[in-house]
């Protein structure tokens, strides 16, 4: 059977112009182990994007496999209203040990994907203010270049035109805060002398719209889909204070940044402050199972807690909420992080990774910046190193590099002209050498046609 042909007969792949598949047909994966993905012809691809940023501890991790197999023969799924189970309870207990302190995060609402947890957070915040005497608070705020998922609500708070442009007529009217842009800082600052001057935009926006706003959403420190844009923790500290001043919930979208991706368990840990609501997914199950959690403070929870007839309950549900198989994977992930000291080791390895990436790429005439946080490293290709002008997007430079790298066994999947690495936390130096060498070879090959 020609599996590629059969695939294209039926399958509409995510985030793809399907016509592209005429020249780059889908790779039929057979199995995977660690950071290696193997296709049915035996080719190996190094998964340095963690399969859309969710694979945390390598594919087919023996401990997660074992935990899930055990759970499978015990309980696969059960209604989560009025019923519960040990894997979910254990998971919440365990998360309490690692969540940011200060605001009383402590109530866990389960869903099955990141976008759903964002929807849940938005509805929860809106309803909270309706039930606590602030019915005028009906709007949401979010940063420029934000990405929070692709359901209608999540798309509304997002600001990546690539995903949302066409749908604008049916999206919510969100208050947009001009966020940090450290690579092209309009204040002429660099990462060493920044005092978050750009925060004045947030201050002005809150002054104008704070009273009608129920929540502000942020991807803390790392705006992934925007091209791995990185900004300093001080911005979060200031935002925390501003949200408090205007009685606006601070919603942390830690879907991509959580679970050690930034070098700490959560990106908010770098700032030492706590959000009011935190959304978790991706690394939560190690990339094994679709699950997300919307964690709220006890204060929020209390505003919904009353006699049934008062109609204050949060009537939000997903059929697969609290799925035991997903919870068993999530518990295994927390065990492994603790027992094997995964995050401290990743932080150590990240130094080497960033060093070799700087050495290999920084001096290239079209590399505008190499930026990094944790094991995430991004290389931004620009037409002009001084003005930081980008190449026309129709050249699809990133896509060309992506295609070449696949042939050499590395899965890069750039964001526009930003080549990035966001590997499983368990990546080792020999693989770091290999993937950066391949990325550089491919970049040189593609770029030779565009530099004079
Ligand atoms: C992936 C992602 C989402 C959406 O999660 P899905 O499971 O794809 O719906 C939301 N926010 C951020 C920051 C993400 O990276």
């Amino acid at each position: 059977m020609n599996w590629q042909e059969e695939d294209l007969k039926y399958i509409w792949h995510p985030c793809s112009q399907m016509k592209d598949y005429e020249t780059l047909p889908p790779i039929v994966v057979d199995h995977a182990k660690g950071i290696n993905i193997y296709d049915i012809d035996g080719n190996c691809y190094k998964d340095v994007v963690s399969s859309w940023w969710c694979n945390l501890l390598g594919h087919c991790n023996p401990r997660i496999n074992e935990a899930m197999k055990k759970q499978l023969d015990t309980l696969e799924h059960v209604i989560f209203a009025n019923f519960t189970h040990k894997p979910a309870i254990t998971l919440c207990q365990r998360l309490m040990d690692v969540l940011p302190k200060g605001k009383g995060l402590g109530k866990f609402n389960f869903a099955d994907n990141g976008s759903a947890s964002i929807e849940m957070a938005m509805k929860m915040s809106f309803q909270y203010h309706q039930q606590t005497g602030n019915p005028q608070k009906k709007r949401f705020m979010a940063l420029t270049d934000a990405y929070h998922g692709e359901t209608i609500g999540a798309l509304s708070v997002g600001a990546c035109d690539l995903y949302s442009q066409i749908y604008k007529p049916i999206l919510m009217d969100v208050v947009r805060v001009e966020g940090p842009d450290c690579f092209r800082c309009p204040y002429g600052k660099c990462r060493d002398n920044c005092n978050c001057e750009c925060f004045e935009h947030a201050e002005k926006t809150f002054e104008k719209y704070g009273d009608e706003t129920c929540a502000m959403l942020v991807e803390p420190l790392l705006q992934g889909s925007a091209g791995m844009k990185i900004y300093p923790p001080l911005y979060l500290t200031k935002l925390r204070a501003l949200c408090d001043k205007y009685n606006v919930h601070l919603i942390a979208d830690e879907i991509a940044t959580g679970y050690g991706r930034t070098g700490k368990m959560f990106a908010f840990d770098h700032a030492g402050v706590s959000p009011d609501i935190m959304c978790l997914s991706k690394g939560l199950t190690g990339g094994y199972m679709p699950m997300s959690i919307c964690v709220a403070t006890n204060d929020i929870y209390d505003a919904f807690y009353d006699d049934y007839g008062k109609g204050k309950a949060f009537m939000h549900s997903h059929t697969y909420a609290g799925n035991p198989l997903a919870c068993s994977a999530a518990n295994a992930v927390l065990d492994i992080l603790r027992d094997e000291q995964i995050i401290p080791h990743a932080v150590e390895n990240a130094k080497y990774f960033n060093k070799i990436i700087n050495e290999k790429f920084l001096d290239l005439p079209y590399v505008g910046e190499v930026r990094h946080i944790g094991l995430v490293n991004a290389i931004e290709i620009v037409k002009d190193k001084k003005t930081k002008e980008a190449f026309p997007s129709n050249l699809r430079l990133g896509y060309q590099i992506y295609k070449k790298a696949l042939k050499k066994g590395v899965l890069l999947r750039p964001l526009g002209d930003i080549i990035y690495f966001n590997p499983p936390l368990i990546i080792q130096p020999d693989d770091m050498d290999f993937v950066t060498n391949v990325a550089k070879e491919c970049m040189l090959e593609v770029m030779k046609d565009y530099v004079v």
Side-chain angles (χ1 to χ4, degrees), residues 185-206:
C185 177
Y187 301 82
K189 298 280 180 163
C190 63
R191 292 189 193 272
D192 301 330
N193 65 3
C194 155
N195 196 30
C196 289
E197 283 75 7
C198 61
F199 195 73
E200 65 177 4
H201 294 297
E203 280 163 350
K204 282 190 191 126
T205 313
F206 270 73

Side-chain angles (χ1 to χ4, degrees), residues 76-100:
E76 82 302 339
H77 186 66
V78 67
I79 180 174
F80 208 48
N82 229 106
F83 284 77
T84 190
H85 47 79
K86 289 179 195 166
I89 301 166
T90 306
L91 178 58
C92 298
Q93 289 174 327
R94 299 284 306 281
L95 280 170
M96 284 305 290
D97 293 337
V98 292
L99 284 171

Side-chain angles (χ1 to χ4, degrees), residues 158-439:
C160 294
D161 280 351
L162 178 63
Y163 310 112
S164 59
Q165 183 63 33
I166 182 91
Y167 305 108
K168 281 196 176 148
I170 54 168
L171 298 183
M172 272 181 249
D173 184 20
V174 163
V175 181
R176 193 63 58 193
V177 176
E178 193 180 325
D181 188 357
C182 301
F183 175 43
R184 296 183 173 85
C185 177
Y187 301 82
K189 298 280 180 163
C190 63
R191 292 189 193 272
D192 301 330
N193 65 3
C194 155
N195 196 30
C196 289
E197 283 75 7
C198 61
F199 195 73
E200 65 177 4
H201 294 297
E203 280 163 350
K204 282 190 191 126
T205 313
F206 270 73
E207 225 168 84
K208 211 162 162 196
Y209 300 107
D211 289 336
E212 56 191 88
T213 298
C214 46
M216 164 92 202
L217 292 96
V218 279
E219 292 160 89
L221 304 191
L222 176 67
Q223 291 187 296
S225 299
M228 298 293 167
K229 288 176 70 184
I230 297 166
Y231 62 88
L234 180 62
Y235 196 92
L236 294 179
T237 319
K238 288 180 182 244
L239 197 56
R240 177 66 277 176
L242 196 59
C243 285
D244 282 341
K245 184 172 162 195
Y246 286 91
N247 187 23
V248 167
H249 285 141
L250 181 52
I251 299 177
D253 179 349
E254 292 256 13
I255 293 167
T257 52
Y259 279 74
R261 291 292 183 190
T262 67
K264 290 187 186 280
M265 184 65 188
F266 300 108
F268 257 78
D269 295 337
H270 292 272
V273 292
S274 168
D276 301 288
I277 301 177
M278 188 185 268
C279 296
L280 302 175
S281 191
K282 294 205 164 104
L284 172 65
T285 64
Y288 266 65
M289 294 290 289
M291 182 164 81
S292 62
I293 305 182
C294 174
V295 194
T297 59
N298 290 306
D299 175 55
I300 293 173
Y301 178 83
D302 289 344
F304 294 74
Y305 197 90
D306 211 334
D307 295 330
Y308 180 81
K310 298 265 173 63
K312 287 187 185 172
F314 188 47
M315 298 305 290
H316 185 109
S317 59
H318 292 284
T319 309
Y320 285 99
N323 176 264
L325 286 167
C327 290
S328 70
N331 282 321
V333 166
L334 289 174
D335 286 342
I336 297 167
L337 287 181
R338 180 195 55 201
D339 298 347
E340 302 178 22
Q341 289 294 298
I342 297 287
I343 296 175
H345 283 140
V347 168
E348 262 320 295
N349 280 333
K351 290 179 194 157
Y352 177 73
F353 201 27
N354 180 244
K355 181 170 101 55
I356 60 172
I357 292 171
N358 278 326
E359 284 167 4
K360 288 175 193 177
F361 294 92
L362 207 49
D363 289 337
L364 296 176
Y366 38 79
V367 168
E369 185 182 51
V370 171
R371 48 183 176 264
H372 71 107
I373 184 166
L375 277 166
V376 177
N377 281 266
I379 302 158
E380 181 152 352
I381 297 176
V382 292
K383 189 172 172 193
D384 187 321
K385 229 170 151 129
K386 279 219 176 65
T387 63
K388 301 175 183 181
E389 184 193 340
F391 278 100
S393 60
N394 60 8
L395 296 178
R396 303 186 76 188
L397 297 175
Y399 185 66
Q400 293 190 54
I401 293 168
Y402 167 64
K403 287 204 284 190
K404 282 201 191 298
L406 280 177
K407 290 219 173 73
K408 296 179 195 249
V410 177
L411 166 46
L412 289 174
R413 211 179 156 88
L415 295 153
D417 291 347
I418 294 147
I419 315 294
Y420 72 87
F421 304 94
N422 186 5
L425 301 186
I426 49 129
I427 190 172
Q428 293 301 310
D430 54 338
D431 277 330
M432 293 176 178
D433 291 335
F434 177 77
V435 300
T436 50
N437 284 339
V438 168

